[in-house]
Amino acid sequence: MKWLLRFAAGLTVSFIVTMIVVVASFITTMFSASEIGVRKFGLFGALFFEPHQQANGATALEIGISNGLPIAIVFVGLLVFYIAVASALERLKLHKERLLRAGQG
């Protein structure tokens, strides 16, 4: 049961952190695209941002995801990291309890 809860928490945390990384990368890409008509890529080619000049003088924006693989790799990497850290902390907690019990007896 602990593994299921740890995995569910890992999915949640990994999703939230991945979305923060995607948004931060998108904002960075958006502010680095200073030329009209030039497509800029962010997050290892996963996101793109391209401003266009319209006939009436307004600026149109083309944004999107061009490749989902880097986003999936970030998500899985964060998930594995979270589960590894949570498992290590659980083992350390159990080891500390064992040492305290051995010291009392």
Side-chain angles (χ1 to χ4, degrees):
M1 186 67 176
K2 281 186 179 183
W3 282 100
L4 182 62
L5 290 174
R6 188 175 296 147
F7 185 71
L11 285 174
T12 304
V13 169
S14 298
F15 178 76
I16 291 170
V17 174
T18 300
M19 290 302 107
I20 290 170
V21 168
V22 167
V23 168
S25 178
F26 174 71
I27 290 172
T28 304
T29 304
M30 183 174 67
F31 284 115
S32 70
S34 59
E35 301 174 30
I36 300 293
V38 176
R39 181 174 278 200
K40 294 284 188 167
F41 291 94
L43 193 62
F44 308 109
L47 309 170
F48 69 88
F49 178 83
E50 184 177 358
H52 296 286
Q53 190 73 32
Q54 291 184 334
N56 63 1
T59 302
L61 304 176
E62 185 179 340
I63 59 174
I65 296 176
S66 60
N67 184 7
L69 184 62
I71 297 171
I73 290 172
V74 168
F75 177 77
V76 170
L78 288 169
L79 178 62
V80 169
F81 179 76
Y82 178 86
I83 290 174
V85 169
S87 297
L89 289 175
E90 182 68 26
R91 285 183 176 209
L92 285 172
K93 188 172 111 178
L94 291 174
H95 183 66
K96 178 183 173 183
E97 289 174 3
R98 252 184 293 153
L99 288 174
L100 289 175
R101 275 186 274 142
Q104 291 175 353

